[in-house]
Amino acid sequence: AQSVTQLGSHVSVSEGALVLLRCNYSSSVPPYLFWYVQYPNQGLQLLLKYTTGATLVKGINGFEAEFKKSETSFHLTKPSAHMSDAAEYFCAVSAAGNQFYFGTGTSLTVIP
Amino acid sequence: IAGITQAPTSQILAAGRRMTLRCTQDMRHNAMYWYRQDLGLGLRLIHYSNTAGTTGKGEVPDGYSVSRANTDDFPLTLASAVPSQTSVYFCASSPSGSFNEQFFGPGTRLTVL
């Protein structure tokens, strides 16, 4: 079985500060991991994904995430927050059967 | 490129009424999904379809039904709406394979009174 835990339902950072959104997963098989972003009143957009290969994955808008198998983590980071980064972020895990399991989301607020 | 379209954008519905939410994709993806999004609960899978002609139950299927007559369309039906089905509904699609991301529609905001 697969599941995702996102630590912190709300995160606030100052503009220009480091963004760190935490995601831990459980999976009985090697997982595929995803981060999505949702802007107000919109659907989800893919930020980045890990399937195989390099464990540090770079995505759109300057975001990146590192797959750490030993810690069962896939935390999302961005060196310098921008006002436009304010949104809801979802971590998801996928394994056999095409099904995704989403975390409950983290709302990011960027303070000017 | 339209991607995934959903209709209606929003709807207010009286309890007990029947409602069909429409979803169409033009990417020729094999797999399609319906989720509901509720505050604090994230996205929960209602039903899915791995290919045209097949459907499966997700985490919260009760009160909902789906059909997949062709590759492009995946309607979600509430046979007799109840207030607990008030939510934002998202349709998604993906190519086959667990390593492929899902592409999401813009959502339908449904209120059941």
Side-chain angles (χ1 to χ4, degrees):
Chain A
Q2 291 77 40
S3 67
V4 172
T5 301
Q6 290 185 239
L7 297 176
S9 58
H10 298 277
V11 171
S12 294
V13 299
S14 297
E15 190 175 16
L18 171 72
V19 176
L20 171 61
L21 305 182
R22 300 179 186 273
C23 173
N24 289 89
Y25 70 91
S26 67
S27 177
S28 55
V29 297
Y32 303 115
L33 296 160
F34 305 80
W35 274 100
Y36 283 83
V37 60
Q38 183 182 31
Y39 299 103
N41 299 313
Q42 295 186 25
L44 279 69
Q45 304 172 31
L46 182 71
L47 271 179
L48 49 80
K49 68 177 181 180
Y50 169 79
T51 55
T52 60
T55 56
L56 181 63
V57 180
K58 295 186 184 298
I60 62 172
N61 301 337
F63 284 92
E64 61 183 37
E66 186 171 11
F67 169 57
K68 292 188 177 181
K69 184 178 180 180
S70 62
E71 299 178 6
T72 60
S73 70
F74 191 56
H75 301 331
L76 182 70
T77 61
K78 182 174 180 178
S80 176
H82 191 273
M83 295 299 294
S84 61
D85 295 327
E88 188 87 13
Y89 292 80
F90 292 93
C91 182
V93 62
S94 174
N98 286 351
Q99 290 192 33
F100 274 41
Y101 298 87
F102 285 88
T104 53
T106 297
S107 177
L108 176 66
T109 299
V110 181
I111 303 167
Chain B
I1 299 176
I4 298 180
T5 57
Q6 292 185 237
T9 301
S10 65
Q11 182 75 43
I12 299 174
L13 188 67
R17 297 296 297 269
R18 180 184 179 90
M19 177 73 190
T20 295
L21 308 185
R22 300 185 297 278
C23 174
T24 299
Q25 55 110 351
D26 63 1
M27 298 175 283
R28 307 302 295 172
H29 288 166
N30 283 326
M32 296 188 75
Y33 313 83
W34 274 106
Y35 295 89
R36 59 177 290 173
Q37 183 179 25
D38 302 290
L39 194 63
L41 298 177
L43 280 84
R44 293 181 292 169
L45 182 65
I46 305 171
H47 284 287
Y48 66 93
S49 169
N50 285 333
T51 189
T54 69
T55 63
K57 294 181 179 180
E59 180 184 357
V60 289
D62 294 343
Y64 306 94
S65 63
V66 292
S67 61
R68 187 88 183 277
N70 57 60
T71 297
D72 298 343
D73 300 300
F74 191 44
L76 176 74
T77 297
L78 290 67
S80 179
V82 295
S84 62
Q85 293 178 310
T86 294
S87 187
V88 181
Y89 291 86
F90 288 99
C91 180
S93 72
S94 73
S96 296
S98 300
F99 50 87
N100 285 306
E101 64 265 35
Q102 295 187 3
F103 295 81
F104 284 80
T108 293
R109 184 174 297 274
L110 182 66
T111 302
V112 183
L113 302 176

